[in-house]
């Protein structure tokens, strides 16, 4: 099974990929900060599960999901919402 994770925040991406590896230890987990790089990988290697953020800098996650589903109509897709970060300071 091939899993592709895409998030333009590398720290979140690394955590996501590690979580997927723990849940699916036999899966081939691939992590990308670029939607275009992920799409190129999928075109060459295929993909069973795509996990991607919706708001990516080089292509929307929805567009990526549509393109991947054209390559494999049976792909499972999980779209992650954009996270808004709040900075808190203590006084």
């Amino acid at each position: 099974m091939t899993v592709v994770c895409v998030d333009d925040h590398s720290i979140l991406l690394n955590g996501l990929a590690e979580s997927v590896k723990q849940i699916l230890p036999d899966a081939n987990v691939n992590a990308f900060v670029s939607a275009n790089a992920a799409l190129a990988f999928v075109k060459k290697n295929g993909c069973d599960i795509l996990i991607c953020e919706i708001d990516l800098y080089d292509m929307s996650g929805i567009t990526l999901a549509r393109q991947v589903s054209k390559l494999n109509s049976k792909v499972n897709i999980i779209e992650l919402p954009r996270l808004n970060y709040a900075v808190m300071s203590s006084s």
Side-chain angles (χ1 to χ4, degrees), residues 15-37:
L16 174 62
E18 286 303 314
S19 295
V20 172
K21 287 176 186 177
Q22 289 178 2
I23 295 167
L24 301 170
D26 295 330
N28 176 15
V29 180
N30 303 273
F32 299 92
V33 294
S34 161
N36 286 314

Side-chain angles (χ1 to χ4, degrees), residues 4 6 16 49-54 65 75-80:
V4 172
V6 188
L16 174 62
I49 301 173
L50 171 67
I51 305 171
C52 67
E53 182 185 2
I54 291 175
V75 67
N76 293 291
I77 299 170
I78 301 170
E79 291 276 352
L80 303 173

Side-chain angles (χ1 to χ4, degrees), residues 14-84:
N14 292 337
L16 174 62
E18 286 303 314
S19 295
V20 172
K21 287 176 186 177
Q22 289 178 2
I23 295 167
L24 301 170
D26 295 330
N28 176 15
V29 180
N30 303 273
F32 299 92
V33 294
S34 161
N36 286 314
L39 184 58
F41 174 88
V42 171
K43 285 179 178 178
K44 184 176 180 181
N45 301 288
C47 173
D48 300 300
I49 301 173
L50 171 67
I51 305 171
C52 67
E53 182 185 2
I54 291 175
D55 187 28
L56 299 166
Y57 72 91
D58 60 342
M59 176 191 314
S60 82
I62 294 171
T63 300
L64 175 61
R66 285 183 183 144
Q67 297 212 12
V68 169
S69 66
K70 286 180 184 176
L71 298 169
N72 176 4
S73 63
K74 295 184 179 189
V75 67
N76 293 291
I77 299 170
I78 301 170
E79 291 276 352
L80 303 173
R82 180 176 182 196
L83 298 175
N84 291 318

